Amino acid sequence: MKSNRAAVLLGLLLTAALAPGCKDFLEKQPLGTTTQDNLFNDPTNAVQAVNATYDVAAWDQGPKWGDPAGQYVAQTFEWAFGDLMTDDSEKGGSSPSDFLPLIQLKSWNIPSSNGLVTTLWVHSFTGIARANTVINNIDAGTIDADLKSRLKGEALFLRAYFYYNLVKGFGGVPLFEKAIVPTEAGNVTRATIAETYAFIEKDLKAAALLLPEKTAYAAADAGRATKGAANAYLARAIMYQLGTVNGNNHTWQEVYDLTSTVIASGQYSLLANYATVHQNVGENSSESVFEIQFASDNNTYGPISLGTTNNVFQNNRKTWGYGFNNPTQNLVDEFEANDPRKEITIIKNNDIVLGILNVVDLTGNATGYYNRKAAILAPAAPEAGPQNIRKIRYSDILLMKAEAAAQTSRPTEAIALVNQVRQRARMATRPPGATTVGIADNYAPANTPAGTLPDLAAGLTGQPLLNAIWHERRVEFAEESLRYWDLVRTGRYLATLPAEVRARAASHVATEASVNPFPLLPISLNDAQTWKLPQNPGY
């Protein structure tokens, strides 16, 4: 679908006008002659309406769409939550005071005006609004029934995707199944965490019934939601509830069954070489269950861009980046001896990266390391990187099933699943362009010594087995924005924080009955006031 993002302008303009979700979008009028009454009578328009919903998932910065005053919302990056708020990452940047919103997240000293948090809230509800335009109007359209079914499934998946991002960070949120009118804006209520998850699960189950498998899509549609992606996110949502608020009474058997379904579909496999996963050749590959699509263009900041600012924010300040999200020594030390994934994940001083010598200057770096997974060659516009962001990989399916197997008295099966991931890892080459300045794409052999990453021993059970699975998740998905959520759902997060930060985080812990205590982000100040929503604890 990467090539299709250039064609979303009709959908962008139309759905911004027709799909209100929060107050900033309530009073827009339809643009042009295409309206909700005829939008889904034309297959091109119908596809572009769904494309516009995907497009919101790709926004990491820019003004609120359609605002004539250009009202600005700041960047939002999943690594700012999933990596930076953990022991895997420090802020970095040009100085310790650079990029205040990141400092606020890292220290749990977060005002309700924090730009990263506000943008997560605003963009999520924008995406929900656009998904609702499709969900509520497509059934009356006259387009082909099979296309109609697929597009509705994609919209249901995307609505669930946006709500899942919201509930993890904010707790229970308002649930919109249709657009609201301005007079209703002050009567919005917050659902509970369990109710929000039930809403997400309903959408994902419906999406799984409507969506095709991955191989049923044409090449031009690569990256669209699939049956496998819906089942994978359902498994992930249930797994997260099992360690937090499990008001829907889920079991590990459900996670086991859902991941088994994805595996049995035969749609996915591990790439042979771990070093290729985050390169161009790894985009929309057999390992990709869902990833956000980006492409090269010459635009800079703003949601009109086809690219992302994700790369420039994380790249070395000595090359073309801003130098944020620096891996910690704690993370580096987690890798076992000679694990090829360490070099594929971490840039250290004087490493050659994609044929470019990288000097790590500690005056603009907090730890001595950068994230190699986000390293790309500089695009035409530095703020418009073309690298897709992987959201769920097949190795995650294997390790989710391994954890479910361990939790349901199937230790032998859990060990075998973890060993699949370890076996692939030890066969990896060095990352591309790591040997010679000026040569960006050669994959030199890693010459990994025999005995590296040995298989987990037979007979491993109980907490030692879970610890091994959690270790494997940390190194397999290092700097992929999963660490925070894994720590939270396994009850380990608060203990990783310095005492002062832990005290602040503890003052924001969700008040609903939970398996493990976990803190919540503040609700965007504007919408908390406009919608008359109760704020989260401690804000």
Side-chain angles (χ1 to χ4, degrees):
M1 195 176 62
K2 180 171 282 200
S3 61
N4 288 352
R5 288 197 62 211
V8 301
L9 285 181
L10 171 62
L12 286 172
L13 294 171
L14 182 62
T15 55
L18 298 180
C22 52
K23 189 173 188 298
D24 295 296
F25 299 92
L26 289 175
E27 298 178 356
K28 305 300 179 185
Q29 298 300 317
L31 302 178
T33 58
T34 304
T35 69
Q36 287 182 346
D37 293 333
N38 60 30
L39 175 62
F40 299 103
N41 294 339
D42 178 85
T44 299
N45 287 350
V47 168
Q48 289 189 357
V50 176
N51 286 358
T53 312
Y54 281 103
D55 202 63
V56 180
W59 291 357
D60 47 37
Q61 38 70 47
K64 297 177 183 178
W65 185 262
D67 188 334
Q71 187 178 5
Y72 187 77
V73 288
Q75 289 79 16
T76 190
F77 303 109
E78 194 164 357
W79 54 258
F81 307 98
D83 294 328
L84 182 65
M85 295 176 74
T86 78
D87 50 1
D88 271 8
S89 173
E90 293 291 345
K91 178 184 71 67
S94 63
S95 71
S97 61
D98 190 14
F99 206 160
L100 179 60
L102 288 179
I103 299 171
Q104 293 168 341
L105 291 180
K106 184 68 175 176
S107 62
W108 273 102
N109 200 354
I110 312 169
S112 57
S113 59
N114 178 281
L116 292 155
V117 173
T118 296
T119 303
L120 174 62
W121 178 274
V122 169
H123 284 179
S124 295
F125 277 109
T126 304
I128 289 163
R130 292 186 176 192
N132 279 337
T133 294
V134 178
I135 294 165
N136 292 322
N137 294 283
I138 196 167
D139 286 342
T142 59
I143 61 173
D144 174 78
D146 289 341
L147 178 61
K148 181 188 297 186
S149 177
R150 193 201 87 195
L151 293 177
K152 186 173 183 179
E154 291 180 65
L156 286 163
F157 171 84
L158 289 166
R159 185 167 71 179
Y161 170 84
F162 289 117
Y163 267 120
Y164 180 57
N165 288 338
L166 285 168
V167 71
K168 287 188 303 174
F170 299 101
V173 294
L175 301 178
F176 298 119
E177 290 193 273
K178 60 182 181 65
I180 62 172
V181 298
T183 56
E184 298 172 324
N187 299 314
V188 171
T189 59
R190 288 186 69 176
T192 66
I193 291 175
E195 289 168 344
T196 304
Y197 274 114
F199 187 91
I200 292 165
E201 292 167 27
K202 174 180 63 69
D203 276 359
L204 289 173
K205 289 175 182 177
L209 293 174
L210 294 171
L211 288 170
E213 295 282 15
K214 182 176 180 177
T215 54
Y217 278 109
D221 286 317
R224 292 189 181 277
T226 63
K227 189 181 299 295
N231 283 322
Y233 264 95
L234 184 55
R236 182 178 275 185
I238 290 173
M239 189 168 73
Y240 195 73
Q241 290 172 80
L242 285 165
T244 56
V245 175
N246 191 20
N248 294 308
N249 299 313
H250 288 298
T251 67
W252 278 103
Q253 184 64 42
E254 293 173 86
V255 178
Y256 181 89
D257 291 341
L258 285 162
T259 50
S260 295
T261 297
V262 176
I263 293 169
S265 72
Q267 299 289 305
Y268 308 98
S269 62
L270 295 175
L271 286 176
N273 185 2
Y274 184 87
T276 66
V277 169
H278 290 278
Q279 305 305 314
N280 287 341
V281 69
E283 293 191 342
N284 300 313
S285 70
S286 66
E287 186 157 346
S288 174
V289 180
F290 186 64
E291 62 189 67
I292 305 299
Q293 308 292 303
F294 294 99
S296 297
D297 69 356
N298 292 315
N299 290 307
T300 54
Y301 287 107
I304 195 64
S305 175
L306 302 182
T308 172
T309 64
N310 184 62
N311 304 98
V312 68
F313 269 82
Q314 295 184 75
N315 265 263
N316 192 342
R317 294 186 65 84
K318 286 291 186 180
T319 57
W320 62 281
Y322 301 160
F324 294 104
N325 195 33
N326 304 155
T328 61
Q329 189 65 50
N330 186 294
L331 171 60
V332 172
D333 292 343
E334 183 79 12
F335 288 90
E336 295 165 57
N338 301 310
D339 185 342
R341 290 174 295 190
K342 181 167 77 171
E343 186 185 19
I344 295 165
T345 303
I346 306 293
I347 299 170
K348 65 182 187 305
N349 188 40
N350 289 327
D351 276 354
I352 299 173
V353 181
L354 299 171
I356 298 171
L357 180 66
N358 271 246
V359 175
V360 179
D361 182 353
L362 289 176
T363 63
N365 181 285
T367 66
Y369 303 109
Y370 287 112
N371 175 12
R372 194 187 292 254
K373 289 179 178 177
I376 62 172
L377 296 175
E383 303 89 351
Q387 183 189 45
N388 288 359
I389 296 177
R390 282 64 165 166
K391 292 294 184 179
I392 296 191
R393 300 197 278 113
Y394 185 59
S395 57
D396 199 357
I397 303 300
L398 296 176
L399 292 178
M400 283 197 288
K401 184 176 180 180
E403 193 167 344
Q407 296 278 9
T408 55
S409 302
R410 298 176 174 101
T412 301
E413 187 173 1
I415 289 168
L417 289 161
V418 176
N419 286 341
Q420 285 188 52
V421 177
R422 291 172 69 80
Q423 288 159 10
R424 189 272 294 270
R426 64 176 173 255
M427 300 303 294
T429 66
R430 298 186 69 187
T435 59
T436 307
V437 173
I439 301 178
D441 57 359
N442 64 313
Y443 289 85
N447 298 318
T448 302
T452 298
L453 296 176
D455 284 354
L456 297 187
L460 195 62
T461 61
Q463 192 61 50
L465 176 55
L466 287 174
N467 290 343
I469 294 169
W470 296 342
H471 159 78
E472 204 63 36
R473 290 187 64 84
R474 187 181 187 189
V475 294
E476 173 73 13
F477 307 122
E479 299 296 290
E480 294 183 41
S481 305
L482 288 179
R483 175 67 171 168
Y484 176 80
W485 313 110
D486 276 351
L487 287 172
V488 166
R489 69 175 180 81
T490 56
R492 297 174 291 156
Y493 177 63
L494 292 174
T496 67
L497 300 174
E500 183 180 349
V501 177
R502 182 167 61 250
R504 283 194 291 269
S507 72
H508 304 304
V509 163
T511 57
E512 296 179 44
S514 180
V515 179
N516 294 299
F518 64 100
L520 297 173
L521 301 168
I523 293 175
S524 171
L525 178 62
N526 179 67
D527 284 341
Q529 294 175 341
T530 300
W531 294 355
K532 298 181 173 62
L533 297 178
Q535 184 57 272
N536 278 329
Y539 296 106

